[in-house]
């Protein structure tokens, strides 16, 4: 029995020696769990922070734009004083030749100064503009260069006028003019 007790004592002694090691393993495992939780929490905080920063940036932009518009109304406004303020869009400049081509087209089509898609394409090939610039040019210059024309005739109206004019001419040729002889009868 003493041998048996001796073995149990040896085993118990070894187990007791392993106890600090097992405690360390347990602590490492616990630390690993804590670290994982901290990383997850840190990621959530980063996402929330990014969302808050985005909201703040958009709110700041709204305030800056509002302030910019207020300052533009002031007489002594200097756009260079505020780099965040909206800058005026750069103005497009077209060549003199481009303008002449468009003005000539506009004058030639004074009755109906609205180019169709084919005419726009032809004009775009002759001038250095985008389609949007060309359309804007026509909107502005119909007002500037053709101010006396209040009502414009559509292509259908022009066709009706031509038809009416031909009809009147045809009727004048076919219908004899009244004479004294026709009236008395």
């Amino acid at each position: 029995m003493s041998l048996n007790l001796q073995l149990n004592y040896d085993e118990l002694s070894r187990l007791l020696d392993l106890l600090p090691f097992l405690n360390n393993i347990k602590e490492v495992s616990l630390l690993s769990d804590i670290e994982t939780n901290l990383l997850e929490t840190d990621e959530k905080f980063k996402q929330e922070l990014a969302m808050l920063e985005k909201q703040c940036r958009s709110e700041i932009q709204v305030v800056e734009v509002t302030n910019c518009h207020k300052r533009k109304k002031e007489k002594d406004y200097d756009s260079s004083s505020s780099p965040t303020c909206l800058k005026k869009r750069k103005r497009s400049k077209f060549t003199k030749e481009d303008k002449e081509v468009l003005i000539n087209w506009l004058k030639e089509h004074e009755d109906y100064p609205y180019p169709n898609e084919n005419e726009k394409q032809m004009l775009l090939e002759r001038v250095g503009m985008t389609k949007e610039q060309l359309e804007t040019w026509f909107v502005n210059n119909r007002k500037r260069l053709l101010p006396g024309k209040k009502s414009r005739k559509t292509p259908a109206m022009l066709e009706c006028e031509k038809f009416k004019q031909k009809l009147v001419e045809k009727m004048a040729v076919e219908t004899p003019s009244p004479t004294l002889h026709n009236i008395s009868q």
Side-chain angles (χ1 to χ4, degrees):
M1 196 161 168
S2 98
L3 184 63
N4 198 4
L5 278 176
Q6 184 66 27
L7 267 176
N8 285 340
Y9 178 76
D10 288 342
E11 283 180 28
L12 191 57
S13 176
R14 251 185 290 145
L15 286 176
L16 286 175
D17 289 342
L18 286 176
L19 191 60
F21 176 73
L22 292 174
N23 282 337
N24 285 340
I25 290 176
K26 188 176 179 183
E27 287 175 11
V28 167
S29 174
L30 185 63
L31 286 175
S32 176
D33 290 345
I34 291 172
E35 183 180 15
T36 302
N37 288 339
L38 284 175
L39 289 174
E40 289 172 0
T41 305
D42 186 45
E43 188 61 34
K44 288 177 185 177
F45 281 137
K46 284 180 183 177
Q47 289 173 354
E48 287 183 33
L49 182 62
M51 193 170 61
L52 287 172
E53 285 176 347
K54 187 177 180 182
Q55 287 174 345
C56 287
R57 267 192 238 110
S58 65
E59 289 175 13
I60 287 171
Q61 286 174 344
V62 168
V63 170
E64 286 175 346
V65 168
T66 304
N67 290 342
C68 179
H69 290 298
K70 286 178 184 176
R71 279 181 273 160
K72 280 185 177 183
K73 292 178 184 177
E74 297 172 3
K75 292 179 183 176
D76 56 358
Y77 170 71
D78 177 20
S79 64
S80 63
S81 65
S82 176
T84 59
C85 190
L86 296 176
K87 303 288 184 208
K88 189 173 183 181
R89 195 169 40 93
K90 186 179 178 184
R91 186 178 164 96
S92 299
K93 292 189 179 184
F94 307 115
T95 65
K96 192 174 186 177
E97 293 81 19
D98 290 350
K99 290 178 190 176
E100 286 176 7
V101 168
L102 296 173
I103 290 170
N104 288 338
W105 189 96
L106 197 58
K107 288 180 180 177
E108 288 173 12
H109 298 84
E110 196 170 334
D111 288 335
Y112 187 73
Y114 300 91
N116 62 31
E117 290 302 315
N118 293 335
E119 291 168 324
K120 286 179 189 177
Q121 195 60 40
M122 181 267 305
L123 289 168
L124 285 173
E125 291 170 3
R126 294 179 66 191
V127 298
M129 297 181 180
T130 65
K131 186 175 181 182
E132 184 179 330
Q133 288 173 323
L134 181 74
E135 290 170 349
T136 302
W137 187 92
F138 273 105
V139 168
N140 294 334
N141 287 283
R142 275 191 291 266
K143 294 174 188 174
R144 291 181 193 137
L145 301 175
L146 305 173
K149 302 286 183 181
K150 294 287 182 193
S151 63
R152 303 272 180 229
K153 296 178 181 174
T154 65
M157 292 168 71
L158 292 172
E159 288 297 317
C160 285
E161 281 185 7
K162 288 179 187 176
F163 179 76
K164 182 179 175 184
Q165 187 177 3
K166 287 179 184 177
L167 188 61
V168 168
E169 290 171 0
K170 188 175 182 181
M171 288 178 66
V173 171
E174 292 178 358
T175 309
S177 60
T179 59
L180 205 51
H181 183 268
N182 291 345
I183 297 175
S184 62
Q185 291 180 349

